[in-house]
Amino acid sequence: MSNAYTILLVEDDRSIVNFIRAALTNAGYRVLVARSGGEAGLMITSYRPDLILLDLGLPDMDGLDIIRQIRQKSQTPVIVVSARSREQEKVEALDLGADDYVTKPFGTEELLARVRTAIRHVVSRTTELEVARDGRFTTGALTVDFRKRRVYVEGEDAGLTKNEYNLVALLARYAGRVLTYDYLLKCIWGDESRGNNQILRVNMANIRRKIEKDPADPVYIFTEIGVGYRMADGTGDVPEKSAGISG
Ligand code: CA
């Protein structure tokens, strides 16, 4: 597989750099490394990477400030690499426009899966394209029909309420990505609902009862504890770099 995607790794911890660089290089990606926020800024401008893996704990700059800076000038996907103890920071990172996060420690497979998903979303917008083309999103036996505003499991209408449908449809549009509690609340129930996670939990419990075989062990919508929810990725392969990508 010849992925010529360039990934900028912004990380000051040498052992993590070595681990991530080896995993990505073996998978065929071109890897650049910046060890500080300042260096990252220069490299983003010079090399225009396809994806940025960003450690939030850098020596010279707050990682969240780096995300702000990146988002001022580009939509390059950013995956935050963060320690488990910094849950609130992950939420802020996602709300500032980071695409995803991985929590240390993580394995090679998890990292590569997140990288593929992030690149796929920006490069080909597979989900949005599929949705635009057939008005549907499918993962496993679950189908969201955006025209009929219905969700089907194994061909059967799941019987979701309007808000339940809206929640599932929103997660499906961004399948594979974590949407934060506040973002979901704001989109479905409006600004005044921010912080009211209870309404979200109740709706999600009802949704899971209707769409999951085992609501306690969901396969379609995953909980990212303390952060938000993520819809399972739809099917489809990562396109090659040559498939017509523009910066
Ligand atoms: Ca660090």
Side-chain angles (χ1 to χ4, degrees):
M1 189 166 84
S2 67
N3 280 307
Y5 294 111
T6 300
I7 299 176
L8 175 63
L9 171 58
V10 188
E11 170 67 77
D12 61 319
D13 183 321
R14 199 170 294 273
S15 60
I16 295 175
V17 167
N18 290 340
F19 164 70
I20 294 180
R21 180 164 46 197
L24 295 175
T25 305
N26 285 340
Y29 297 103
R30 178 175 175 235
V31 181
L32 305 169
V33 178
R35 293 178 197 277
S36 67
E39 211 181 323
L42 294 174
M43 292 180 87
I44 290 165
T45 309
S46 311
Y47 295 99
R48 305 176 62 82
D50 297 298
L51 173 72
I52 298 164
L53 280 175
L54 177 66
D55 170 32
L56 291 180
L58 292 168
D60 63 331
M61 250 172 109
D62 186 289
L64 297 175
D65 285 336
I66 300 179
I67 298 173
R68 275 190 203 99
Q69 278 184 18
I70 294 168
R71 281 294 165 265
Q72 276 165 15
K73 52 186 172 190
S74 86
Q75 286 306 307
T76 307
V78 175
I79 299 178
V80 162
V81 179
S82 130
R84 189 170 293 279
S85 56
R86 310 175 89 162
E87 210 98 276
Q88 187 49 39
E89 212 170 38
K90 284 188 288 201
V91 174
E92 283 174 48
L94 292 166
D95 282 337
L96 281 175
D99 296 79
D100 201 354
Y101 68 87
V102 285
T103 301
K104 296 171 187 172
F106 50 82
T108 305
E109 282 190 19
E110 182 186 3
L111 177 70
L112 292 175
R114 299 296 178 84
V115 164
R116 281 194 300 269
T117 298
I119 286 180
R120 175 164 54 220
H121 280 125
V122 167
V123 168
S124 74
R125 303 196 170 175
T126 306
T127 305
E128 282 112 303
L129 285 178
E130 264 170 27
V131 165
R133 197 171 53 230
D134 1 301
R136 280 159 187 269
F137 165 82
T138 298
T139 176
L142 179 100
T143 297
V144 180
D145 187 321
F146 294 94
R147 294 204 183 109
K148 293 184 180 160
R149 298 179 54 80
R150 294 242 186 280
V151 173
Y152 301 91
V153 180
E154 285 166 5
E156 298 269 326
D157 191 331
L160 300 187
T161 65
K162 179 165 150 270
N163 282 339
E164 289 165 3
Y165 167 80
N166 287 339
L167 199 47
V168 173
L170 185 57
L171 287 162
R173 276 186 200 280
Y174 295 97
R177 293 171 57 165
V178 187
L179 300 184
T180 65
Y181 297 130
D182 270 354
Y183 179 78
L184 292 166
L185 283 165
K186 201 177 99 181
C187 290
I188 311 290
W189 286 278
D191 266 329
E192 64 280 9
S193 67
R194 279 172 78 98
N196 184 1
N197 290 2
Q198 180 62 15
I199 189 173
L200 201 48
R201 270 198 297 273
V202 168
N203 273 269
M204 190 52 70
N206 289 335
I207 290 168
R208 285 187 170 140
R209 218 165 17 76
K210 295 175 182 178
I211 68 170
E212 302 277 2
K213 270 209 176 82
D214 179 1
D217 184 20
V219 298
Y220 298 124
I221 298 175
F222 306 108
T223 300
E224 302 288 334
I225 293 164
V227 178
Y229 295 105
R230 177 203 304 270
M231 172 71 83
D233 216 347
T235 47
D237 295 323
V238 179
E240 292 294 315
K241 176 90 174 176
S242 57
I245 292 98
S246 59

Coordinates of all heavy atoms in Angstrom, one line a residue, residues 144-218:
V144 N -29.3 4.6 8.5 CA -30.0 5.8 8.7 C -30.4 6.3 7.3 O -29.6 6.5 6.4 CB -29.0 6.9 9.4 CG1 -29.8 8.2 9.6 CG2 -28.4 6.3 10.7
D145 N -31.7 6.5 7.2 CA -32.3 7.1 5.9 C -32.6 8.5 6.2 O -33.6 8.9 6.8 CB -33.5 6.3 5.5 CG -34.0 6.7 4.1 OD1 -34.0 7.9 3.8 OD2 -34.4 5.8 3.4
F146 N -31.8 9.4 5.6 CA -31.9 10.8 5.9 C -33.1 11.5 5.2 O -33.6 12.5 5.6 CB -30.6 11.6 5.5 CG -29.4 11.2 6.3 CD1 -28.5 10.2 5.9 CD2 -29.2 11.8 7.5 CE1 -27.4 9.9 6.6 CE2 -28.1 11.5 8.3 CZ -27.2 10.5 7.9
R147 N -33.6 10.8 4.1 CA -34.7 11.4 3.4 C -36.0 11.1 4.2 O -36.8 11.9 4.4 CB -34.8 10.9 2.0 CG -33.6 11.4 1.2 CD -33.8 11.4 -0.3 NE -32.6 11.9 -0.9 CZ -31.8 11.1 -1.6 NH1 -32.2 9.9 -1.9 NH2 -30.7 11.6 -2.1
K148 N -36.1 9.8 4.6 CA -37.3 9.4 5.3 C -37.2 9.8 6.8 O -38.2 9.6 7.5 CB -37.5 7.9 5.2 CG -37.8 7.4 3.8 CD -38.1 5.9 3.8 CE -38.5 5.5 2.4 NZ -38.3 4.0 2.2
R149 N -36.0 10.2 7.2 CA -35.8 10.5 8.6 C -36.2 9.3 9.5 O -36.9 9.4 10.5 CB -36.6 11.7 9.0 CG -36.1 13.0 8.3 CD -36.9 14.2 8.7 NE -36.8 14.5 10.1 CZ -35.8 15.0 10.8 NH1 -34.7 15.4 10.1 NH2 -35.9 15.2 12.0
R150 N -35.6 8.1 9.1 CA -35.9 6.9 9.9 C -34.5 6.2 10.0 O -33.6 6.3 9.2 CB -36.8 6.0 9.1 CG -38.2 6.5 8.9 CD -39.2 5.6 9.7 NE -40.6 6.0 9.4 CZ -41.2 7.1 10.1 NH1 -40.5 7.7 11.0 NH2 -42.4 7.4 9.8
V151 N -34.5 5.4 11.1 CA -33.4 4.5 11.3 C -33.9 3.0 11.3 O -34.9 2.7 11.9 CB -32.7 4.8 12.7 CG1 -31.6 3.8 13.1 CG2 -32.2 6.2 12.7
Y152 N -33.2 2.2 10.6 CA -33.6 0.8 10.5 C -32.5 -0.1 11.0 O -31.3 0.2 10.8 CB -33.8 0.4 9.0 CG -34.9 1.3 8.3 CD1 -34.5 2.5 7.7 CD2 -36.2 0.9 8.4 CE1 -35.5 3.2 7.1 CE2 -37.2 1.6 7.8 CZ -36.8 2.8 7.1 OH -37.8 3.6 6.5
V153 N -32.9 -1.1 11.7 CA -31.9 -2.2 12.1 C -32.4 -3.5 11.5 O -33.5 -3.9 11.7 CB -31.9 -2.3 13.7 CG1 -30.9 -3.4 14.1 CG2 -31.5 -1.0 14.3
E154 N -31.5 -4.1 10.7 CA -31.9 -5.3 10.0 C -33.2 -5.1 9.2 O -34.1 -6.0 9.2 CB -32.0 -6.5 10.9 CG -30.6 -7.0 11.4 CD -30.6 -7.9 12.6 OE1 -31.7 -8.3 13.0 OE2 -29.5 -8.3 13.0
G155 N -33.3 -3.9 8.6 CA -34.5 -3.7 7.8 C -35.7 -3.2 8.5 O -36.7 -2.8 7.9
E156 N -35.7 -3.3 9.8 CA -36.9 -3.0 10.6 C -36.8 -1.5 11.1 O -35.7 -1.2 11.7 CB -37.0 -3.9 11.9 CG -37.2 -5.4 11.6 CD -38.6 -5.7 11.5 OE1 -39.4 -5.2 12.2 OE2 -38.9 -6.6 10.6
D157 N -37.8 -0.8 11.0 CA -37.9 0.6 11.6 C -37.7 0.5 13.1 O -38.4 -0.1 13.8 CB -39.2 1.2 11.2 CG -39.2 2.7 11.5 OD1 -38.5 3.2 12.4 OD2 -39.9 3.5 10.8
A158 N -36.7 1.3 13.6 CA -36.4 1.2 15.0 C -37.4 2.1 15.8 O -37.4 2.0 17.1 CB -34.9 1.7 15.2
G159 N -38.2 2.8 15.2 CA -39.2 3.6 15.9 C -38.7 4.7 16.8 O -39.2 4.9 17.9
L160 N -37.7 5.4 16.3 CA -37.1 6.5 17.1 C -38.0 7.7 17.1 O -38.7 8.0 16.2 CB -35.8 6.9 16.5 CG -34.7 5.9 16.5 CD1 -33.3 6.5 16.0 CD2 -34.5 5.1 17.8
T161 N -38.0 8.5 18.2 CA -38.7 9.7 18.3 C -37.9 10.8 17.5 O -36.8 10.5 17.1 CB -38.8 10.3 19.8 OG1 -37.5 10.5 20.2 CG2 -39.4 9.2 20.7
K162 N -38.5 12.0 17.4 CA -37.8 13.0 16.6 C -36.4 13.3 17.1 O -35.5 13.4 16.4 CB -38.7 14.2 16.5 CG -38.2 15.4 15.8 CD -39.3 16.4 15.5 CE -38.7 17.8 15.4 NZ -38.7 18.6 16.7
N163 N -36.4 13.6 18.4 CA -35.1 13.9 19.0 C -34.1 12.8 18.9 O -32.9 13.0 18.7 CB -35.2 14.4 20.4 CG -35.7 15.8 20.5 OD1 -35.6 16.6 19.5 ND2 -36.3 16.2 21.6
E164 N -34.6 11.6 19.1 CA -33.7 10.4 19.0 C -33.1 10.3 17.6 O -32.0 10.0 17.4 CB -34.5 9.1 19.4 CG -34.8 9.0 20.9 CD -35.8 8.0 21.2 OE1 -36.3 7.2 20.3 OE2 -36.2 7.9 22.4
Y165 N -34.0 10.5 16.7 CA -33.6 10.4 15.3 C -32.5 11.5 15.0 O -31.5 11.2 14.4 CB -34.7 10.6 14.3 CG -34.2 10.8 12.9 CD1 -33.8 9.8 12.1 CD2 -34.1 12.1 12.4 CE1 -33.2 10.0 10.9 CE2 -33.5 12.4 11.2 CZ -33.1 11.3 10.4 OH -32.5 11.5 9.2
N166 N -32.8 12.7 15.4 CA -31.9 13.8 15.2 C -30.5 13.5 15.8 O -29.5 13.8 15.2 CB -32.4 15.1 15.8 CG -33.6 15.7 14.9 OD1 -33.7 15.3 13.8 ND2 -34.4 16.5 15.5
L167 N -30.5 12.9 16.9 CA -29.2 12.6 17.6 C -28.5 11.5 16.8 O -27.3 11.7 16.5 CB -29.6 12.1 19.0 CG -28.5 12.0 20.1 CD1 -27.7 13.3 20.2 CD2 -29.2 11.8 21.4
V168 N -29.2 10.5 16.4 CA -28.5 9.4 15.6 C -28.0 9.9 14.3 O -26.9 9.6 13.8 CB -29.5 8.2 15.4 CG1 -28.9 7.2 14.5 CG2 -29.8 7.6 16.8
A169 N -28.9 10.8 13.6 CA -28.5 11.3 12.3 C -27.3 12.2 12.4 O -26.4 12.1 11.5 CB -29.7 12.1 11.7
L170 N -27.2 12.9 13.4 CA -26.0 13.8 13.6 C -24.7 13.0 13.8 O -23.7 13.2 13.2 CB -26.2 14.8 14.8 CG -25.2 15.8 15.1 CD1 -25.0 16.7 13.9 CD2 -25.6 16.7 16.3
L171 N -24.8 12.0 14.7 CA -23.7 11.1 14.9 C -23.3 10.4 13.6 O -22.1 10.2 13.3 CB -24.0 10.1 16.0 CG -24.0 10.7 17.5 CD1 -24.7 9.8 18.4 CD2 -22.6 11.0 17.9
A172 N -24.3 10.0 12.8 CA -24.0 9.3 11.6 C -23.3 10.2 10.6 O -22.4 9.7 9.9 CB -25.3 8.7 11.0
R173 N -23.7 11.4 10.5 CA -23.0 12.3 9.6 C -21.5 12.5 9.9 O -20.7 12.8 9.0 CB -23.7 13.7 9.6 CG -24.9 13.8 8.8 CD -25.4 15.2 8.7 NE -26.8 15.1 8.2 CZ -27.2 15.0 7.0 NH1 -26.2 14.9 6.0 NH2 -28.4 14.9 6.6
Y174 N -21.2 12.3 11.2 CA -19.8 12.4 11.6 C -19.3 11.1 12.1 O -18.5 11.0 13.0 CB -19.6 13.5 12.6 CG -20.0 14.9 12.1 CD1 -21.2 15.4 12.3 CD2 -19.1 15.6 11.4 CE1 -21.6 16.7 11.8 CE2 -19.4 16.9 10.9 CZ -20.6 17.4 11.1 OH -20.9 18.6 10.6
A175 N -19.8 10.0 11.5 CA -19.4 8.7 11.9 C -17.9 8.5 12.1 O -17.1 9.0 11.2 CB -19.9 7.7 10.9
G176 N -17.5 7.9 13.1 CA -16.1 7.7 13.4 C -15.5 8.8 14.2 O -14.4 8.6 14.7
R177 N -16.2 9.9 14.3 CA -15.7 11.0 15.1 C -16.4 11.1 16.4 O -17.6 10.9 16.5 CB -15.8 12.3 14.3 CG -14.9 12.3 13.1 CD -15.1 13.4 12.2 NE -15.0 14.7 12.9 CZ -14.9 15.9 12.2 NH1 -14.9 15.9 10.9 NH2 -14.7 17.0 12.9
V178 N -15.7 11.6 17.4 CA -16.4 11.9 18.7 C -17.1 13.2 18.7 O -16.5 14.2 18.3 CB -15.3 12.0 19.9 CG1 -16.1 12.1 21.2 CG2 -14.4 10.9 19.8
L179 N -18.3 13.3 19.0 CA -19.0 14.5 19.2 C -19.2 14.8 20.7 O -19.7 13.8 21.4 CB -20.4 14.5 18.4 CG -20.3 14.3 16.9 CD1 -21.7 14.4 16.2 CD2 -19.3 15.2 16.2
T180 N -18.9 15.9 21.1 CA -18.9 16.2 22.6 C -20.4 16.4 23.0 O -21.3 16.7 22.3 CB -18.1 17.4 23.0 OG1 -18.7 18.6 22.4 CG2 -16.7 17.3 22.5
Y181 N -20.6 16.1 24.3 CA -21.9 16.3 24.9 C -22.5 17.7 24.6 O -23.6 17.8 24.2 CB -21.8 16.1 26.5 CG -21.4 14.7 26.9 CD1 -20.4 14.5 27.8 CD2 -22.0 13.6 26.4 CE1 -20.0 13.3 28.2 CE2 -21.6 12.3 26.8 CZ -20.6 12.2 27.7 OH -20.2 10.9 28.1
D182 N -21.7 18.7 24.9 CA -22.1 20.1 24.7 C -22.5 20.3 23.2 O -23.5 21.0 22.9 CB -21.1 21.1 25.1 CG -21.3 21.5 26.6 OD1 -22.3 21.0 27.2 OD2 -20.5 22.2 27.1
Y183 N -21.7 19.8 22.3 CA -22.0 20.0 20.9 C -23.3 19.4 20.5 O -24.2 20.0 19.8 CB -20.9 19.4 20.0 CG -21.1 19.5 18.6 CD1 -20.9 20.8 17.9 CD2 -21.6 18.5 17.8 CE1 -21.1 20.9 16.5 CE2 -21.8 18.6 16.4 CZ -21.6 19.8 15.8 OH -21.8 19.9 14.5
L184 N -23.5 18.1 21.0 CA -24.8 17.4 20.7 C -26.0 18.1 21.3 O -27.0 18.3 20.6 CB -24.7 16.0 21.2 CG -23.7 15.1 20.5 CD1 -23.4 13.8 21.3 CD2 -24.2 14.7 19.1
L185 N -25.8 18.6 22.5 CA -26.9 19.2 23.2 C -27.3 20.5 22.5 O -28.5 20.8 22.2 CB -26.5 19.6 24.6 CG -26.6 18.4 25.6 CD1 -25.8 18.8 26.9 CD2 -28.0 18.0 25.9
K186 N -26.3 21.3 22.1 CA -26.5 22.5 21.4 C -27.2 22.3 20.0 O -28.2 23.0 19.7 CB -25.2 23.2 21.2 CG -25.3 24.7 20.9 CD -23.9 25.3 20.8 CE -23.6 25.5 19.3 NZ -22.4 26.1 19.0
C187 N -26.8 21.3 19.3 CA -27.4 21.0 18.0 C -28.8 20.5 18.1 O -29.6 20.9 17.3 CB -26.5 20.0 17.2 SG -24.9 20.5 16.7
I188 N -29.1 19.7 19.0 CA -30.4 19.1 19.1 C -31.4 19.9 20.0 O -32.6 20.1 19.6 CB -30.3 17.6 19.7 CG1 -29.2 16.8 19.0 CG2 -31.7 16.9 19.6 CD1 -29.5 16.4 17.6
W189 N -30.9 20.4 21.1 CA -31.8 21.0 22.0 C -31.6 22.6 22.2 O -32.3 23.2 22.9 CB -31.8 20.4 23.4 CG -32.5 19.0 23.4 CD1 -33.8 18.8 23.6 CD2 -31.8 17.8 23.3 NE1 -34.0 17.4 23.5 CE2 -32.8 16.8 23.4 CE3 -30.5 17.3 23.2 CZ2 -32.6 15.4 23.3 CZ3 -30.2 16.0 23.1 CH2 -31.3 15.0 23.1
G190 N -30.6 23.1 21.5 CA -30.4 24.5 21.5 C -29.4 24.9 22.6 O -29.1 24.1 23.5
D191 N -29.0 26.1 22.5 CA -27.9 26.7 23.4 C -28.2 26.5 24.9 O -27.4 26.3 25.7 CB -27.7 28.2 23.1 CG -26.6 28.4 22.2 OD1 -25.7 27.6 22.2 OD2 -26.7 29.4 21.4
E192 N -29.5 26.7 25.3 CA -29.9 26.8 26.7 C -29.7 25.4 27.4 O -29.7 25.3 28.6 CB -31.3 27.3 26.9 CG -32.4 26.5 26.3 CD -32.6 26.7 24.8 OE1 -31.7 27.4 24.2 OE2 -33.5 26.2 24.2
S193 N -29.5 24.3 26.5 CA -29.4 23.0 27.1 C -28.0 22.6 27.5 O -27.8 21.5 28.0 CB -30.0 22.0 26.1 OG -29.1 21.9 25.0
R194 N -27.1 23.5 27.2 CA -25.7 23.2 27.5 C -25.5 22.7 28.9 O -26.0 23.4 29.8 CB -24.7 24.4 27.2 CG -24.4 24.5 25.7 CD -23.7 25.8 25.4 NE -22.3 25.6 25.8 CZ -21.3 25.4 24.9 NH1 -21.6 25.2 23.7 NH2 -20.1 25.3 25.3
G195 N -24.7 21.7 29.1 CA -24.5 21.2 30.5 C -25.5 20.3 31.0 O -25.3 19.6 32.0
N196 N -26.7 20.2 30.3 CA -27.7 19.3 30.8 C -27.5 17.9 30.2 O -28.3 17.4 29.3 CB -29.1 19.9 30.3 CG -30.3 19.0 30.8 OD1 -30.1 18.0 31.5 ND2 -31.5 19.4 30.4
N197 N -26.5 17.2 30.7 CA -26.2 15.9 30.1 C -27.2 14.8 30.4 O -27.2 13.8 29.7 CB -24.8 15.4 30.7 CG -23.7 16.3 30.1 OD1 -23.9 17.2 29.4 ND2 -22.4 16.0 30.5
Q198 N -28.0 15.1 31.4 CA -29.0 14.1 31.8 C -30.0 13.8 30.6 O -30.3 12.7 30.3 CB -29.8 14.6 33.0 CG -30.9 13.7 33.5 CD -30.4 12.3 34.0 OE1 -29.2 12.2 34.2 NE2 -31.2 11.3 34.1
I199 N -30.4 14.9 29.9 CA -31.4 14.7 28.8 C -30.7 13.9 27.7 O -31.4 13.0 27.1 CB -31.8 16.1 28.3 CG1 -33.0 15.9 27.3 CG2 -30.7 16.9 27.6 CD1 -33.6 17.3 26.9
L200 N -29.4 14.1 27.5 CA -28.7 13.3 26.5 C -28.6 11.8 26.9 O -28.8 10.9 26.1 CB -27.3 13.9 26.4 CG -26.5 13.7 25.2 CD1 -27.3 14.0 23.9 CD2 -25.3 14.7 25.2
R201 N -28.3 11.6 28.2 CA -28.1 10.2 28.7 C -29.5 9.5 28.6 O -29.5 8.3 28.2 CB -27.7 10.2 30.2 CG -26.2 10.2 30.3 CD -25.8 9.8 31.7 NE -26.3 10.7 32.7 CZ -25.6 11.8 33.1 NH1 -24.4 12.0 32.6 NH2 -26.1 12.6 34.0
V202 N -30.5 10.1 28.9 CA -31.9 9.5 28.8 C -32.2 9.1 27.4 O -32.6 8.0 27.1 CB -33.0 10.4 29.4 CG1 -34.4 9.9 29.1 CG2 -32.8 10.5 30.9
N203 N -32.0 10.1 26.5 CA -32.2 9.8 25.1 C -31.3 8.7 24.5 O -31.8 7.8 23.8 CB -32.0 11.1 24.2 CG -33.3 11.9 24.2 OD1 -34.1 11.8 23.3 ND2 -33.5 12.8 25.2
M204 N -30.1 8.7 24.9 CA -29.2 7.7 24.4 C -29.6 6.3 25.0 O -29.5 5.3 24.2 CB -27.7 8.0 24.8 CG -26.7 7.2 24.1 SD -26.8 7.1 22.3 CE -26.3 8.8 21.9
A205 N -30.0 6.3 26.2 CA -30.4 5.0 26.8 C -31.6 4.4 25.9 O -31.7 3.3 25.6 CB -30.8 5.1 28.2
N206 N -32.6 5.3 25.6 CA -33.7 4.9 24.8 C -33.3 4.5 23.4 O -33.8 3.5 22.9 CB -34.7 6.1 24.7 CG -35.4 6.3 26.1 OD1 -35.5 5.4 26.9 ND2 -35.9 7.5 26.3
I207 N -32.4 5.2 22.8 CA -31.9 4.9 21.5 C -31.3 3.5 21.5 O -31.6 2.6 20.7 CB -30.9 5.9 21.0 CG1 -31.6 7.2 20.7 CG2 -30.1 5.4 19.7 CD1 -30.6 8.4 20.4
R208 N -30.4 3.3 22.5 CA -29.7 2.0 22.5 C -30.7 0.8 22.7 O -30.5 -0.2 22.2 CB -28.7 2.0 23.7 CG -27.5 2.8 23.2 CD -26.4 2.7 24.3 NE -25.1 3.3 23.7 CZ -24.3 4.1 24.5 NH1 -24.6 4.3 25.7 NH2 -23.2 4.5 23.9
R209 N -31.7 1.1 23.5 CA -32.7 0.0 23.8 C -33.4 -0.3 22.4 O -33.7 -1.5 22.2 CB -33.8 0.5 24.7 CG -34.2 -0.5 25.7 CD -35.0 0.1 26.9 NE -35.5 1.4 26.8 CZ -36.5 1.8 26.1 NH1 -37.2 1.0 25.4 NH2 -36.9 3.1 26.1
K210 N -33.5 0.7 21.5 CA -34.2 0.4 20.3 C -33.2 -0.1 19.2 O -33.7 -0.8 18.3 CB -34.8 1.7 19.8 CG -36.0 2.2 20.7 CD -36.5 3.5 20.3 CE -37.6 4.0 21.2 NZ -38.2 5.3 20.9
I211 N -32.0 0.2 19.2 CA -31.1 -0.2 18.1 C -30.0 -1.2 18.4 O -29.5 -1.9 17.5 CB -30.4 1.1 17.4 CG1 -29.4 1.7 18.4 CG2 -31.4 2.1 16.9 CD1 -28.5 2.7 17.7
E212 N -29.7 -1.3 19.7 CA -28.6 -2.2 20.0 C -29.2 -3.6 20.5 O -30.1 -3.6 21.3 CB -27.7 -1.6 21.1 CG -27.1 -0.3 20.8 CD -25.8 -0.4 20.0 OE1 -25.4 -1.5 19.6 OE2 -25.2 0.7 19.7
K213 N -28.5 -4.7 20.1 CA -28.9 -6.0 20.6 C -28.7 -6.0 22.1 O -29.5 -6.5 22.9 CB -28.0 -7.1 20.0 CG -28.6 -7.7 18.7 CD -28.2 -9.1 18.5 CE -28.9 -9.7 17.3 NZ -28.2 -9.3 16.1
D214 N -27.5 -5.6 22.6 CA -27.2 -5.5 24.0 C -26.9 -4.0 24.3 O -25.7 -3.6 24.1 CB -26.0 -6.4 24.3 CG -25.7 -6.3 25.8 OD1 -26.3 -5.6 26.6 OD2 -24.7 -7.0 26.2
P215 N -27.8 -3.3 24.9 CA -27.6 -1.9 25.1 C -26.4 -1.6 26.1 O -25.8 -0.5 26.0 CB -28.9 -1.4 25.8 CG -29.9 -2.4 25.4 CD -29.2 -3.7 25.2
A216 N -26.0 -2.6 26.9 CA -24.9 -2.5 27.8 C -23.5 -2.7 27.0 O -22.5 -2.3 27.6 CB -25.0 -3.4 28.9
D217 N -23.6 -3.2 25.8 CA -22.4 -3.5 25.1 C -22.7 -3.1 23.6 O -22.7 -3.9 22.7 CB -22.1 -5.0 25.2 CG -20.8 -5.3 24.5 OD1 -20.0 -4.4 24.3 OD2 -20.6 -6.5 24.1
P218 N -22.8 -1.7 23.4 CA -23.2 -1.2 22.1 C -22.2 -1.5 21.0 O -21.0 -1.5 21.3 CB -23.4 0.3 22.4 CG -22.5 0.6 23.6 CD -22.5 -0.6 24.4

